[in-house]
Amino acid sequence: MIRFDMVRLGLRLAVSGGREALVRLAITAGAVAIGVGLLFTTLAAINGVHSQNARNAWLNTPFVKQLPANREVAGSSGDGGGGTANASGGAEGEGSSASGGETGAGSGTAGAAAGANGQASNSGVDPMWWSTRRDTVQGKEIGRIDVALTGPRAALSPGVPRMPGPGEYYLSPALARMVDEMPPAQLGDRFPGHRIGILGDEALPAPDSLLAVVGRAPQEMKGLSEAALVNKVATTRPDHCADCVVGIKSDGVDLILTVVSGGLVFPVLILIGTSTRLNAARREQRFAAMRLVGATPRQVSVVSAVEAAVAAAAGVVLGFLPFLAIRGPVANTALTGSKFFPSDISLTPLQIAGVALGVPLAAAVAARIALRRVQISPLGVTRRVTPKPPRAWRVIPLVAGLAELVGFLIWHPGTVPGQIKGYLSSFLLIAIGLVLSGPWLTMKGAALIARRTQRPATLIAVRRLADNPAAGFRAVSGLVLALLVMTATLGVISTMTDERGRPAGGPQFNNVLVNELSQGYSSDYKPVSMGKPAPPELIERLHAVPGVRNVLLGHPADKAVEVQTADGPATARQVVVCADLDPFKMYGHCAPGAQTAYVPASWYGWSDQRTSEWPTAPFTPEQLAGTGVLNVVVETDGSTAAVEQTRTMVDAAYPSTRQAMTLSEARTLAGAELRGYQQLADVVILATFPIAGCSLAVSVAGGLSERKRPFSLLRLTGVSLGTLRRVVAMESVVPLLVMAAVAIGVGLLAADLFLRSQLQYSLHALGAGYYLAVIGGLTAALAIIGATMPLLRRITGPETARNE
C-alpha cells in the first residue's frame, strides 16, 4: 500500500518547495492548460458535428423505409397501392450535403417496405405526401420540404405545432429574413400561399439553415415522381442510416475525428510530456539524494508522480479557460459547411472525466519515465552517467508506415472503414516513427557536422548532441511533428483542389441557369422522368425579365446517338432547336441548315465545345414544342435580380428535386466537401504550430535552467557569453533543421503515396503559401530560441558555480 505520508510529501514539494517549485508548477500548468484547452475544443467540435447531424434526420423522411400505409388511402393514391416513390436530387458531381438542412445528391426509396428503421411510431397516423428537394438563392442552398396531408392526424416534423395545409408554409429564421428583404419575384413567389410560422431550432441543423416546409394539395403531389407517401418522420441520425442522403455519413464523422484528433493529439502529448519534464535534472538529483538516504524506488515514484499530477491537474482546470475563450469562434466556423449552435459545442461528463483523469495520469507516467535512471541507480544520476546512444532500430516504425502506404498501391481496401483504418494506421506509424527515430537521426546529423567544423561553439554543441541526442530532439519534436502534419495535409488538399477544381477547358457559362428535370435514363436511353411541355407564355415571360438573354429547352431524343465532343466520344440523349442553341456558343453548333440536333445530355461543367458540330435530328421545332422538357437552360447577365427572378419562374413552372442553378453555383456546391477538408487542414495547422511553439519554449527554457551550473563553470574558465549563446542556439538549430528536412521529405512522400493509392493523382507542387508557412514557422522557432538567450546572463553568474 502507498503510504499517505509520501503523497503528502509530494504535495508539499510541489507547492511549498520555494520559488523554483512554484515557477515550475505555474509553467507546467500553463502549458498543460493550452494543450487541454485545444483537446477540449476538438472533442466539443466533434460533439457539435454529431448534434448538427442528428437534426438532419427528419429531412431524410422520403428516402428511408416506411411502414405500409393505410390500404384505403394508398389504394386511392393511384400509385399502385403501395405509396412507393423514388426520389433523387443534386447537380452533377455533388455529394450528400454536410449540414445546414440543405438536401444533397442521391436517391432513396420510400413506401411499402417493412421496418421502421428507427423512426417514430405510425400508430393512428394519416399518411402524407412528402418531397425533400433542394433550391438555391444567391449561391446558398435552400432545403425545401413539400407536404400534402391526406388526413388530420399527420405525423409532426420537428419545429412546428402542426403540419401546413395547402397554401401555408413555414420558413426558417434565416430564410424568412431573406424573403422579407428580397423582392417577391426573386424569392417569395417560390412559396405559394402565406407564412404561418417560423421553424423552431430543433428543426434547424444550423443557425443559418435555409429551410421551408410548404403545404400542397394531394393532387399536386401525386404526379411528382420525387414525392413519397409517408406515415412517420425519420429520426435516425444520418450516420446510422443506410438510405439517408442528407447529412454526414459515419465515414464523414470518422474522417473529422481522424484528421482533427490525429493532428492534435500528438502535439498535445508532446507538450504535456515536455512541460512535466521541466527542470528534470535538478529533480533527478533531489530524488537521487532521497534514494541515497534510504528512500525506496516506490516512494520516489510516488513523490514524482504526485508532483507531476498536481501540475497537470491544475492545467486541466485552467484548460477550461482557453476552451471557453475559443468556443464561440469555433461555433461560427463552418467546419461542415454551416455554423453551429453555441450549445452544440459542448463536452459530455464522460469526456471531461476522461481528460481530467487521463492527463494527470499521462503526466505521472511521463515523470516516471523521466526518472527511470533514479529507479535503477541513484549513483548513476549523481555521477551524471552518459545515457546510451539511440540505435538504428528506431527508424523501423517510420519505414513500416511508408511501406504500408506503398502496399496500398498494390492492394487497396475496398470499403471506406477499411480505408480509414488502413491509412490511419499508416500515418500513426509514420508519426510515431518520426518521434522515435528523431534522436537517432539527430545523433547522425550532429556527428556529420562535427566532422566538418572547427568552430568551438559548434563543436561543443554537436558534442553535447552526440552525448544526449534525445534531449536535443525533444526540444524540437513538437515543431517537427507539426511540419509533418502540415506538409502531408497541404500536399493532399492542394493536389485535390488542383485536380477537382481544374476547369474542363475554356471559359464556362457562369451566368447560365440549368434546371435538371430528368432523374436519369433507363437501359434503352429513355428518361426516367421529364417535365411537361413548356407553355409558350413561360418562354415569353422569361424573355421579358430584364437581364435574360437566351432560353434553351432540352427535349428527350428518340434514340441514343454517338457524337464526338471536344473531350472525346459521348452519347447524345437530347434534342434541341438549333435557333435556340446558336446563342449558346460554348455548347457547340448545329450542321448548316439544320433545324434540330442531337446533343449530349449534361449541361453542367461542359468544356469549350465551339468546334463541336452536332448531328441533325429528324424533327421540326413545332414537333419538339409538344414534347416533354428535360432541361431548361437560361442565360442571364449575371445580375442577382435576373438570376433569382428567372430561377423563381422556372422553379414554379417545373418543380424538381434538382432546382435551377448557375454553373458556377453547381461547381461551388460540388466542391463543398473539398472546402470542408481545407478547413480541417487549416484547423490542424493553426492548432499544431502554437502547441509546437509552446513545447519549444518550455523545452529550451527548461534546458537552460538544468544546465546553469555547467554554463557558469564554463564562464569562469573564460568562455564568453556570446560563445555560450551560440552553443545553446546550435543545440536547438541543428536538430531543428535536420529533422525539419526529414519531416518535410516524409510528409511529401506520404502525401504522394496516399494520393496515388486512394485517388490516382500525382502530388502537385505546393504553392508559395506552403513555403512561406514553413519559413515563417522556422523563423518563429528561431525567435523563440533567441528569446531565451537573456536567461543565460542571469543564470550563469559566479554564484551559480558554488558547490552544492
Side-chain angles (χ1 to χ4, degrees):
M1 296 291 293
I2 298 175
R3 294 184 59 183
F4 180 73
D5 54 356
M6 299 307 299
V7 175
R8 185 171 57 185
L9 177 60
L11 290 172
R12 182 177 180 182
L13 291 174
V15 300
S16 302
R19 179 181 178 184
E20 179 180 308
L22 291 177
V23 170
R24 181 173 65 248
L25 177 64
I27 294 176
T28 303
V32 172
I34 294 174
V36 168
L38 290 172
L39 189 57
F40 276 156
T41 304
T42 303
L43 295 174
I46 294 171
N47 294 340
V49 172
H50 283 282
S51 298
Q52 188 181 81
N53 206 29
R55 288 194 297 273
N56 276 307
W58 71 284
L59 299 172
N60 288 293
T61 294
F63 305 118
V64 298
K65 295 178 181 179
Q66 297 281 336
L67 291 175
N70 179 276
R71 285 183 179 272
E72 183 178 352
V73 174
S76 65
S77 70
D79 289 334
T84 302
N86 293 326
S88 65
E92 179 184 354
E94 291 181 55
S96 59
S97 175
S99 66
E102 297 85 326
T103 60
S107 63
T109 301
N117 197 19
Q119 301 180 42
S121 172
N122 69 331
S123 176
V125 173
D126 294 319
M128 58 181 162
W129 291 99
W130 185 298
S131 171
T132 298
R133 42 197 186 112
R134 186 222 56 231
D135 201 349
T136 311
V137 59
Q138 296 182 356
K140 301 176 183 178
E141 278 190 295
I142 300 176
R144 173 166 173 161
I145 298 89
D146 290 86
V147 296
L149 310 182
T150 63
R153 299 173 300 172
L156 281 179
S157 64
V160 298
R162 64 176 179 87
M163 298 302 289
E168 299 176 337
Y169 60 85
Y170 294 95
L171 300 180
S172 65
L175 182 56
R177 287 192 295 269
M178 295 188 72
V179 168
D180 293 339
E181 294 170 359
M182 297 177 64
Q186 297 182 22
L187 181 58
D189 289 348
R190 303 182 199 181
F191 313 112
H194 62 282
R195 187 193 312 170
I196 61 172
I198 300 296
L199 292 174
D201 288 350
E202 60 271 24
L204 308 179
D208 55 352
S209 293
L210 304 180
L211 285 176
V213 180
V214 182
R216 305 276 294 276
Q219 56 269 25
E220 293 180 293
M221 298 284 287
K222 291 177 184 177
L224 298 179
S225 59
E226 67 270 12
L229 191 63
V230 304
N231 48 16
K232 57 194 174 301
V233 177
T235 58
T236 303
R237 204 169 68 186
D239 54 345
H240 294 158
C241 172
D243 300 317
C244 297
V245 301
V246 183
I248 301 174
K249 294 296 185 181
S250 57
D251 55 320
V253 176
D254 290 342
L255 174 65
I256 292 175
L257 175 64
T258 300
V259 173
V260 177
S261 298
L264 289 178
V265 166
F266 270 97
V268 168
L269 290 178
I270 288 175
L271 175 58
I272 292 174
T274 301
S275 59
T276 54
R277 289 180 56 90
L278 192 62
N279 209 13
R282 289 289 301 274
R283 294 163 69 200
E284 284 179 348
Q285 291 182 354
R286 185 178 65 197
F287 291 138
M290 293 173 60
R291 288 288 314 280
L292 288 174
V293 298
T296 65
R298 184 181 179 85
Q299 291 172 327
V300 171
S301 295
V302 172
V303 173
S304 63
V306 169
E307 277 194 281
V310 167
V316 171
V317 175
L318 293 175
F320 282 97
L321 297 179
F323 165 65
L324 295 175
I326 61 178
R327 180 186 179 191
V330 170
N332 290 324
T333 301
L335 185 63
T336 59
S338 296
K339 298 178 181 180
F340 295 96
F341 286 102
S343 59
D344 291 341
I345 308 300
S346 59
L347 297 166
T348 66
L350 184 61
Q351 289 171 333
I352 295 175
V355 173
L357 295 176
V359 170
L361 180 61
V365 172
R368 172 65 178 85
I369 296 174
L371 297 174
R372 59 189 180 278
R373 290 186 295 169
V374 179
Q375 306 294 343
I376 298 172
S377 170
L379 294 178
V381 175
T382 57
R383 294 173 181 173
R384 308 309 300 166
V385 176
T386 299
K388 294 181 179 180
R391 303 298 179 87
W393 66 263
R394 288 172 170 265
V395 301
I396 293 177
L398 178 61
V399 175
L402 293 172
E404 188 174 3
L405 289 178
V406 173
F408 289 147
L409 294 173
I410 303 171
W411 176 84
H412 189 264
T415 63
V416 172
Q419 293 166 11
I420 291 176
K421 292 178 181 178
Y423 286 115
L424 177 60
S425 64
S426 300
F427 282 104
L428 285 179
L429 277 175
I430 290 173
I432 293 172
L434 188 65
V435 174
L436 282 178
S437 63
W440 184 78
L441 294 172
T442 298
M443 181 182 68
K444 293 299 181 182
L448 180 63
I449 295 175
R451 290 195 296 267
R452 298 176 178 273
T453 186
Q454 299 296 325
R455 295 182 178 180
T458 305
L459 285 173
I460 294 174
V462 297
R463 180 69 178 87
R464 288 183 57 84
L465 287 174
D467 283 345
N468 191 3
F473 171 74
R474 190 182 304 120
V476 300
S477 57
L479 188 61
V480 168
L481 196 59
L483 281 174
L484 171 70
V485 173
M486 182 185 74
T487 301
T489 302
L490 287 185
V492 172
I493 295 298
S494 62
T495 299
M496 291 172 62
T497 302
D498 290 345
E499 290 284 348
R500 298 181 181 182
R502 184 180 298 171
Q508 302 293 307
F509 273 142
N510 290 332
N511 298 329
V512 171
L513 287 92
V514 179
N515 193 323
E516 185 78 36
L517 303 181
S518 173
Q519 296 179 13
Y521 294 82
S522 61
S523 58
D524 57 355
Y525 296 104
K526 293 182 179 180
V528 174
S529 62
M530 71 183 74
K532 60 187 176 181
E537 60 271 17
L538 173 63
I539 308 300
E540 295 175 1
R541 289 174 56 206
L542 286 173
H543 281 292
V545 174
V548 170
R549 295 172 177 172
N550 302 289
V551 179
L552 173 67
L553 301 179
H555 304 275
D558 57 332
K559 61 181 179 180
V561 179
E562 296 300 318
V563 296
Q564 187 66 32
T565 72
D567 302 316
T571 301
R573 300 188 180 96
Q574 292 191 18
V575 181
V576 298
V577 176
C578 292
D580 296 336
L581 177 65
D582 286 343
F584 295 85
K585 301 297 184 182
M586 307 307 297
Y587 283 152
H589 59 275
C590 299
Q595 291 184 306
T596 62
Y598 293 103
V599 296
S602 175
W603 302 96
Y604 290 105
W606 270 14
S607 57
D608 191 340
Q609 300 290 339
R610 292 177 189 272
T611 60
S612 297
E613 182 176 288
W614 309 124
T616 302
F619 304 102
T620 64
E622 291 74 20
Q623 290 174 319
L624 290 183
T627 63
V629 176
L630 296 176
N631 290 102
V632 181
V633 185
V634 182
E635 182 188 6
T636 72
D637 59 2
S639 64
T640 298
V643 169
E644 298 306 336
Q645 188 171 348
T646 299
R647 187 172 3 232
T648 300
M649 294 174 60
V650 173
D651 290 354
Y654 291 102
S656 171
T657 306
R658 290 172 282 192
Q659 299 291 71
M661 287 192 300
T662 66
L663 300 189
S664 58
E665 289 171 345
R667 192 180 304 117
T668 299
L669 293 176
E673 182 181 11
L674 195 61
R675 290 192 300 275
Y677 294 155
Q678 183 65 63
Q679 288 181 335
L680 289 175
D682 294 341
V683 168
V684 172
I685 293 168
L686 293 175
T688 51
F689 267 103
I691 296 174
C694 292
S695 298
L696 180 62
V698 170
S699 184
V700 173
L704 289 177
S705 178
E706 291 174 358
R707 292 175 290 166
K708 59 183 179 181
R709 188 166 184 271
F711 282 158
S712 64
L713 291 173
L714 286 174
R715 286 196 65 187
L716 288 177
T717 59
V719 177
S720 66
L721 188 60
T723 301
L724 289 181
R725 287 173 175 167
R726 286 191 292 272
V727 169
V728 173
M730 289 299 296
E731 286 181 359
S732 299
V733 170
V734 169
L736 175 63
L737 296 182
V738 170
M739 293 309 301
V742 174
I744 291 173
V746 170
L748 292 175
L749 179 58
D752 184 62
L753 292 174
F754 170 80
L755 290 166
R756 289 178 182 274
S757 60
Q758 178 70 9
L759 302 172
Q760 289 75 52
Y761 297 156
S762 295
L763 180 68
H764 290 200
L766 297 179
Y770 165 77
Y771 296 102
L772 290 175
V774 171
I775 294 173
L778 294 178
T779 302
L782 295 177
I784 291 173
I785 296 172
T788 63
M789 294 305 171
L791 289 173
L792 274 174
R793 182 181 296 276
R794 295 201 301 268
I795 68 175
T796 57
E799 68 281 359
T800 308
R802 70 184 186 275
N803 291 326
E804 297 180 346

